[in-house]
Amino acid sequence: MKKYKMCQPEISVLMSVYNETADMLRCAVESVLRQSVRNFEFIIIVDNPDAAEQIRLLQEYQQKDQRIIIIYNSVNQGLAESLNTGLKAAQGKYIARMDADDISTDTRFQEEKDFLDRHQECDLVCSGRFFIDEKGRPLQKSLLIPKNDECLMKSLSVGSVIAHPTVMMRLDAVRNAGGYCGYSVAQDFDLWLRMKKSGCRFHYIDKPLLYYRLREENVNPDKGIVQFLSSQYAKYLDMTGREFNRKEYDRYIRRKQKDSRFIKYQKLFIEALNRPVPAKILLMAWCFIMSPDCRRRGRDRLLLKRYVIRLSYNDHS
């Protein structure tokens, strides 16, 4: 691998490392280092002090490429705090997000940077993505894409079709919005809402620029429930104009997790999504009758359909 020297970067790439395997991490790092754009800094926050194998691997890459900056958290801080640490250290004009188990296409940074350079009114770009499994094999999966930029902005009132690791955004816009808040999940959705409220404009590049890895932990129903609750809390703050309060957020999540009726019907709702159409309709109808939270979740999904097009994986291949 060629050894690169650091200069004033145009792009700061932020990636947090926690429980990814060494192979996943290697693929992610090399996909960044292969980018056609060369003028960037690669800020990697190690959020697991016990990840000895991953740390050794990162240090090997750092010795070969001076664009790599490694920040070590002494204890696990979580994704939001790790990314805020990266934002404080960033020197680039643009922030490119990257997850340590995904793979960027070689031209991703170039295409996203070129759009932001040409459109000064835009503060954030995101893109389509391919889906792969834990071993890197392609997956057949549907993808929601916005019909246009106006629909992308409107869709944020009910949900998000923005994949966090596909994003490149202006550093000043992120800092002006206050960076990431301390959600356990959905910290990206909360940031998009605050950026939108501050007047930022978003654009969707209708092209897959990332291989997005679906891991078993990502489809865990319990995590899906916390994702839903976190999104609901973010929308509540957006509607009321209140600021994020970690204690209030934690109490809200704990209270709902202890509600056995809520959990029961949320899991049934998630199960219904994977059923064939006749069974899906019947099971969802039952959830809607029995649970106001399921009705709210179903309503948001229906509203989101106004703004998006559903494509299969092969439509982007």
Side-chain angles (χ1 to χ4, degrees):
M1 183 183 295
K2 185 177 178 181
K3 190 169 184 176
Y4 291 98
K5 293 183 178 180
M6 269 297 299
C7 57
Q8 181 62 34
E10 282 190 290
I11 302 168
S12 297
V13 185
L14 299 190
M15 186 177 82
S16 177
V17 176
Y18 177 58
N19 66 351
E20 298 78 13
T21 68
D23 286 341
M24 290 177 185
L25 183 57
R26 184 179 294 105
C27 290
V29 170
E30 291 186 359
S31 77
V32 172
L33 300 182
R34 284 197 306 265
Q35 290 296 304
S36 55
V37 169
R38 293 297 183 185
N39 188 15
F40 62 82
E41 60 179 354
F42 191 4
I43 302 174
I44 303 172
I45 305 95
V46 178
D47 197 30
N48 181 359
D50 298 324
E53 183 182 6
Q54 288 80 355
I55 289 172
R56 283 195 299 271
L57 178 64
L58 291 173
Q59 289 173 342
E60 289 175 7
Y61 280 114
Q62 186 181 39
Q63 290 174 2
K64 300 172 184 176
D65 196 318
Q66 295 180 32
R67 295 174 298 179
I68 294 177
I69 300 165
I70 305 175
I71 299 174
Y72 302 92
N73 291 344
S74 57
V75 295
N76 174 241
Q77 297 286 329
L79 180 60
E81 190 58 39
S82 294
L83 293 179
N84 282 335
T85 298
L87 286 175
K88 291 175 184 176
Q91 300 182 60
K93 179 180 179 181
Y94 302 127
I95 294 293
R97 273 287 290 117
M98 183 68 192
D99 279 349
D101 53 1
D102 293 332
I103 302 170
S104 286
T105 62
D106 293 354
T107 61
R108 177 195 156 193
F109 293 174
Q110 185 72 65
E111 296 189 50
E112 292 177 340
K113 173 186 173 299
D114 286 349
F115 186 90
L116 290 171
D117 284 345
R118 293 194 309 267
H119 298 84
Q120 294 300 312
E121 76 282 2
C122 184
D123 300 283
L124 178 151
V125 293
C126 56
S127 78
R129 61 201 190 276
F130 293 117
F131 293 93
I132 57 176
D133 67 12
E134 297 200 44
K135 295 185 181 297
R137 297 171 298 204
L139 290 172
Q140 181 80 26
K141 184 172 174 62
S142 62
L143 180 69
L144 298 178
I145 69 169
K147 294 176 180 177
N148 51 51
D149 287 354
E150 182 180 1
C151 285
L152 174 61
M153 301 301 293
K154 287 181 177 179
S155 70
L156 291 171
S157 63
V158 289
S160 176
V161 296
I162 300 173
H164 196 187
T166 71
V167 162
M168 183 179 287
M169 47 196 169
R170 299 185 192 276
L171 175 60
D172 289 346
V174 183
R175 285 178 172 169
N176 290 341
Y180 293 90
C181 291
Y183 293 75
S184 56
V185 293
Q187 50 284 100
D188 52 337
F189 178 53
D190 171 76
L191 177 59
W192 312 152
L193 290 174
R194 286 183 286 111
M195 289 179 70
K196 177 186 175 183
K197 182 167 282 189
S198 69
C200 293
R201 300 294 302 174
F202 303 166
H203 173 71
Y204 180 87
I205 297 175
D206 190 10
K207 181 178 180 181
L209 297 176
L210 183 91
Y211 290 85
Y212 185 87
R213 196 183 302 270
L214 288 178
R215 299 166 65 186
E216 190 171 326
E217 63 184 57
N218 297 132
V219 293
N220 184 308
D222 293 328
K223 184 173 181 179
I225 291 171
V226 176
Q227 183 85 27
F228 167 68
L229 291 173
S230 298
S231 297
Q232 290 298 115
Y233 184 77
K235 286 189 280 188
Y236 163 72
L237 296 185
D238 183 56
M239 289 187 295
T240 60
R242 296 183 59 184
E243 294 186 357
F244 178 81
N245 183 302
R246 182 60 194 244
K247 290 183 178 179
E248 179 185 67
Y249 166 73
D250 287 341
R251 283 197 302 269
Y252 169 65
I253 298 294
R254 286 196 300 267
R255 176 171 59 83
K256 298 297 283 187
Q257 287 177 323
K258 291 178 181 178
D259 184 339
S260 59
R261 182 182 177 85
F262 167 80
I263 295 296
K264 173 185 175 180
Y265 287 106
Q266 285 297 312
K267 288 187 175 181
L268 281 176
F269 184 92
I270 293 170
E271 181 185 339
L273 296 176
N274 299 314
R275 292 283 191 93
V277 172
K280 176 186 292 189
I281 293 172
L282 289 173
L283 191 53
M284 280 195 169
W286 177 248
C287 291
F288 293 164
I289 291 170
M290 300 302 295
S291 168
D293 291 291
C294 287
R295 289 197 292 274
R296 186 179 303 114
R297 192 168 185 175
R299 179 205 63 196
D300 286 350
R301 289 178 65 87
L302 287 174
L303 289 174
L304 188 63
K305 289 183 177 181
R306 295 182 182 182
Y307 308 119
V308 301
I309 301 170
R310 182 182 292 272
L311 296 178
S312 74
Y313 176 91
N314 285 340
D315 290 323
H316 269 299
S317 61

